[in-house]
Amino acid sequence: MKRFIVAVVTSSALLTSMFTQAGVVTVWGERYNISTINTFYNGLAGHSSSIANGQLDTVDLSSTDLLWAVQPADSYTANELSTMSSFLSGGGRIAFMGEHGNFAPSENNNINAALAALGADISINNVVLDGGFRSASVGDGQILSHPLTQGVDTYQYAAFAPLSISGDAVALMLGEELYNGMDSVMMAYQNIGAGSVFLITDQNVWDNSGSNWGGNFDNGTMFENLLAASTNNPNEPPQVPEPASILLLSLGVAGLLRRRRK
């Protein structure tokens, strides 16, 4: 009987690992050193990242889980928007990164146009709040409770453009300063079909990634969550087990059957 119980535990662990997959990131954009983002994800155990060049509609996103679309110098083309829409329909996630309104207003406008075309209820206001490096925390109420912010107790940032959200869009972080007399939204996301879009407007959140944010901030956890944590999307497609996981599971089940026969 004891051998049977051990076999059940082993099989359960295999079932869990079968649906735990490595995340794949594609980083694409302009006006920012996107290699910083690419290097970060390649440094995370179990994940991988690559930089895409050229028009997005020429990039193979078939194995990508998270696409970073960074500070577009030009408007997205109709074909690029169609590629984004298809990517979301397949369960992909897109993280748009702009900047505060005094630094990158045209890039922000290009992101706004893309978000509207994709059906998102999130937009950027081209102003600047919270100048200078600051720390958001759970304790001060700036980091809101959500699976995407799990493990993120402190977050380093510096100067952002506040977001307007409506509909099903969800705020993840707030700024210190108010915007039009209300809490300013610093980071938000929205599920669209089977996929999700995220939006931040501050490139400084990546500035200290090379030193792991000094060990004092959880920016790294936040950015890994964008790739791997739940967005509570009921339309998200189920994970397909990798062939190696299927083999491990079959071996575990075979072992279970052998133990039961003894």
Side-chain angles (χ1 to χ4, degrees):
M1 180 62 69
K2 289 182 179 179
R3 288 196 297 270
F4 175 67
I5 293 173
V6 171
V8 171
V9 172
T10 302
S11 180
S12 176
L14 285 164
L15 281 169
T16 299
S17 65
M18 186 179 76
F19 292 100
T20 301
Q21 299 196 59
V24 179
V25 179
T26 297
V27 189
W28 174 71
E30 300 159 306
R31 201 177 173 179
Y32 179 73
N33 185 7
I34 57 178
S35 63
T36 299
I37 302 174
N38 187 59
T39 298
F40 166 76
Y41 283 104
N42 277 322
L44 294 178
H47 303 307
S48 63
S49 179
S50 62
I51 292 175
N53 298 301
Q55 300 292 111
L56 187 63
D57 51 296
T58 67
V59 177
D60 181 8
L61 297 176
S62 59
S63 63
T64 297
D65 301 299
L66 173 65
L67 169 68
W68 274 88
V70 179
Q71 296 178 6
D74 304 305
S75 299
Y76 295 115
T77 67
N79 286 340
E80 287 175 330
L81 293 173
S82 177
T83 297
M84 290 183 184
S85 181
S86 296
F87 180 64
L88 291 174
S89 297
R93 301 179 178 188
I94 303 175
F96 289 96
M97 186 174 87
E99 244 297 336
H100 66 70
N102 291 349
F103 181 78
S106 60
E107 288 87 345
N108 289 346
N109 289 337
N110 293 335
I111 292 173
N112 280 343
L115 289 168
L118 294 172
D121 300 309
I122 312 174
S123 61
I124 305 169
N125 297 286
N126 273 319
V127 298
V128 56
L129 296 180
D130 289 7
F133 273 98
R134 306 195 183 202
S135 173
S137 71
V138 172
D140 63 21
Q142 286 183 253
I143 300 176
L144 306 180
S145 178
H146 191 278
L148 289 166
T149 58
Q150 185 174 359
V152 184
D153 296 319
T154 58
Y155 180 83
Q156 186 181 58
Y157 71 102
F160 70 98
L163 312 180
S164 292
I165 64 173
S166 60
D168 296 328
V170 178
L172 296 173
M173 288 194 194
L174 307 176
E176 290 183 2
E177 298 178 15
L178 300 178
Y179 179 64
N180 289 337
M182 302 179 66
D183 285 336
S184 54
V185 178
M186 182 164 62
M187 182 189 299
Y189 90 99
Q190 185 172 6
N191 291 323
I192 298 179
S196 309
V197 294
F198 307 96
L199 179 59
I200 62 173
T201 55
D202 176 17
Q203 68 186 37
N204 298 113
V205 297
W206 288 102
D207 281 355
N208 295 314
S209 60
S211 58
N212 196 27
W213 289 277
N216 299 316
F217 298 97
D218 300 315
N219 293 42
T221 300
M222 182 71 242
F223 298 135
E224 185 172 16
N225 286 353
L226 295 188
L227 170 63
S230 172
T231 65
N232 292 329
N233 189 342
N235 299 312
E236 191 172 36
Q239 290 184 320
V240 177
E242 297 174 349
S245 297
I246 295 175
L247 175 61
L248 286 172
L249 179 63
S250 63
L251 291 174
V253 172
L256 170 62
L257 293 174
R258 284 197 298 272
R259 287 179 174 86
R260 291 183 67 180
R261 292 192 187 104
K262 293 181 180 180

